[in-house]
Amino acid sequence: MTQITITGRRPLRGQVRAAGAKNAALPILASTLLGGGDCQVTNLPLVRDVATMNTLLGLLGATVKQDRNQVVINTDTVQSLEAPYDLVKTMRASVLVLGPLLARFGEAVVSLPGGCAIGQRPVNLHLDGLKKLGATIELEHGYIRAHASGLKGERIDLETPTVTGTENLMMAACLAKGTTIINNAAMEPEIEDLAKFLNRRGANVSGAGSSHIVIEGVTKLQETEYSVMPDRIETGTYLIAGMVTGGDVEVSDCIPGHLDLLTSKLRESGAEVLETPNSVRVKAPKRIQALDVQTFPYPGFPTDLQAQMMAMMCVADGTSVITENVFEGRFLHVSELQRMGASITVDGSRAVVKGVSQLTGAPVMASDLRASAGLILAGLAAEGDTHITRVYHLERGYERMEDKLQGLGALVKREPSSV
Ligand code: UD1
């Protein structure tokens, strides 16, 4: 096991490049199961979840040839239609293979993702939608067993705008007969990126990125090349890292429009924000002002930046309130931040954060991907050394984070740990 040790209170300064978006890469890779020869995907982030998805595709029989940030996948060789528990338990997004496998082969067996550190995360809406398209679904021994003899386009009204649910249904509908309409679809930019990839392969998807997506089914898809969009959550994480350290950080190769709510919140807290068409620079104020933030589905404030924002509020002037509306129980980082001297009280989905003049370094434990990022940021702001264990969570979604932080002037190192 390894741990990350950060010696805090060094202002981060300079430029860092955004990696490809993990949450766009995962459905794009899964969608290669819809068939159609060699698909070359570039700007792939080198993170554990992407490696897990490639492993899963390989297990199903696909040919996966990866060379650093690009991969060529051919699913013409697929033989197995089963995503096993051992893999799915390490990454919930494995459920993204369900829609494509079912649409192309008429059958799929995917382990139910089960519990997860950030609260209940059911997949009932994925399954209800697939049933609407004509699938028969049984839950047996912890597995989803789906069958269909040809999916048929239908209107699906999602009860809540689920991101991977929208993606699963959109992918399945590409090979369904007729027109599928997804209402109350999730509007995340990663869904639009997936639709662009699918359309380049000959699918007919319109409206992705809005709450109303229309998919005209086609009989097959063709091969293509595609570059994954930049990661808005990684971008936001480095901008907030600059803020908590009183620094000046620019993230290049990103899409500023995907971060509008974050940058307006950072301005509200006193930052100077400078944007070009493909970069964002944030200069921290002398003192960060307290803020209220509520997470919502896109275009609302992303739940995936909530922990990082909380780390910033811990050292702000005044009292902030964070309301987590997307995932119940996504406050596991609070008790660790408290160990670093933060003043936070949680009442249901609300956390009240009283800014303190200084956090102090401490040994802390990461509980999920974004919580780990929050702890890294707190460590960067804290006086003394912070040792963060269970950093494998971080590796699921951040490419070369220590290198990138060091490039900005952070004192951060990876060491062996006993936990
Ligand atoms: C995706 C992202 C994750 C992000 C989340 C919310 C990927 C791979 N992961 O996760 O990083 O934190 O969106 O922005 O893209 N729900 C149901 N039934 C369902 C599905 C979801 O009730 O069948 C509920 C969930 O419990 C949650 C809400 O819908 O309260 C949103 O979850 P969802 O959008 O599905 O999250 P993921 O797609 O798993």
Side-chain angles (χ1 to χ4, degrees):
M1 291 290 199
T2 54
Q3 66 178 23
I4 288 182
T5 297
I6 298 175
T7 308
R9 291 187 71 86
R10 289 171 64 95
L12 300 193
R13 294 187 197 286
Q15 198 189 60
V16 63
R17 181 186 176 276
K22 166 183 89 74
N23 285 355
L26 294 177
I28 286 173
L29 294 174
S31 78
T32 61
L33 287 167
L34 290 166
D38 282 353
C39 285
Q40 184 179 23
V41 183
T42 58
N43 200 32
L44 208 59
L46 293 177
V47 297
R48 175 95 53 96
D49 275 7
V50 164
T52 305
M53 182 58 84
N54 283 338
T55 302
L56 175 54
L57 294 173
L59 260 183
L60 297 174
T63 314
V64 180
K65 290 185 193 148
Q66 186 168 354
D67 179 16
R68 296 197 54 75
N69 296 83
Q70 66 173 42
V71 67
V72 178
I73 298 175
N74 187 312
T75 60
D76 294 343
T77 47
V78 164
Q79 287 157 349
S80 161
L81 304 178
E82 178 170 329
Y85 175 66
D86 279 352
L87 255 178
V88 178
K89 74 173 186 211
T90 66
M91 183 183 72
R92 293 181 48 84
S94 309
V95 76
L96 284 166
V97 301
L98 177 62
L101 282 178
L102 180 66
R104 174 153 166 225
F105 300 101
E107 199 182 323
V109 181
V110 177
S111 170
L112 273 167
C116 138
I118 57 173
Q120 257 202 323
R121 290 178 78 174
V123 289
N124 58 311
L125 302 175
H126 302 227
L127 305 188
D128 290 351
L130 291 173
K131 282 187 203 160
K132 273 225 138 180
L133 298 179
T136 313
I137 310 246
E138 287 158 37
L139 300 182
E140 222 177 62
H141 306 301
Y143 276 78
I144 303 162
R145 291 180 183 276
H147 294 269
S149 49
L151 295 174
K152 285 203 188 64
E154 253 294 348
R155 174 179 146 165
I156 299 167
D157 298 299
L158 288 176
E159 199 177 293
T160 191
T162 156
V163 176
T164 47
T166 302
E167 291 163 347
N168 237 335
L169 297 171
M170 196 165 94
M171 292 187 281
C174 283
L175 296 185
K177 205 167 175 189
T179 310
T180 299
I181 296 173
I182 308 176
N183 281 323
N184 197 25
M187 301 194 282
E188 269 67 4
E190 292 77 12
I191 295 172
E192 209 179 333
D193 211 42
L194 169 64
K196 281 187 193 159
F197 176 67
L198 293 168
N199 285 343
R200 276 177 75 137
R201 300 179 62 205
N204 189 349
V205 180
S206 54
S210 80
S211 63
H212 181 84
I213 302 178
V214 180
I215 305 116
E216 302 287 349
V218 296
T219 50
K220 62 180 181 134
L221 300 182
Q222 68 220 21
E223 56 187 36
T224 195
E225 273 179 41
Y226 193 75
S227 174
V228 175
M229 64 174 266
D231 196 312
R232 63 195 167 96
I233 303 302
E234 189 209 25
T235 301
T237 302
Y238 288 113
L239 295 177
I240 304 172
M243 283 290 284
V244 293
T245 58
D248 178 353
V249 168
E250 180 173 36
V251 182
S252 68
D253 300 272
C254 66
I255 301 178
H258 289 166
L259 288 147
D260 280 347
L261 210 43
L262 173 69
T263 44
S264 86
K265 285 286 169 193
L266 295 181
R267 280 195 180 97
E268 198 183 319
S269 71
E272 186 184 342
V273 180
L274 304 163
E275 292 181 6
T276 73
N278 60 4
S279 72
V280 184
R281 177 175 173 188
V282 170
K283 297 183 187 180
K286 282 222 155 45
R287 284 294 294 164
I288 297 169
Q289 299 307 307
L291 285 177
D292 290 348
V293 168
Q294 296 211 43
T295 67
F296 280 111
Y298 192 84
F301 191 90
T303 174
D304 284 352
L305 285 175
Q306 182 254 107
Q308 299 87 317
M309 210 55 179
M310 186 179 285
M312 183 180 109
M313 290 166 178
C314 288
V315 292
D317 248 358
T319 300
S320 306
V321 179
I322 300 188
T323 312
E324 172 56 61
N325 292 309
V326 180
F327 289 117
E328 55 168 290
R330 199 174 203 179
F331 280 138
L332 290 176
H333 40 285
V334 167
S335 49
E336 301 301 298
L337 292 171
Q338 284 166 336
R339 300 187 60 253
M340 299 176 70
S343 170
I344 307 170
T345 47
V346 174
D347 180 11
S349 60
R350 269 162 49 103
V352 178
V353 186
K354 278 192 193 150
V356 294
S357 57
Q358 194 164 288
L359 292 175
T360 51
V364 291
M365 197 185 279
S367 54
D368 72 54
L369 166 57
R370 304 304 171 184
S372 343
L375 296 178
I376 294 269
L377 267 49
L380 291 168
E383 179 68 38
D385 285 357
T386 297
H387 307 282
I388 303 165
T389 49
R390 302 202 177 168
V391 288
Y392 50 84
H393 288 295
L394 200 68
E395 291 153 7
R396 286 189 41 215
Y398 288 92
E399 180 179 294
R400 298 187 301 106
M401 194 181 208
E402 299 115 86
D403 291 352
K404 287 187 173 183
L405 288 173
Q406 277 163 3
L408 294 171
L411 267 184
V412 45
K413 59 183 180 215
R414 187 172 281 257
E415 300 170 318
S417 95
S418 53
V419 188

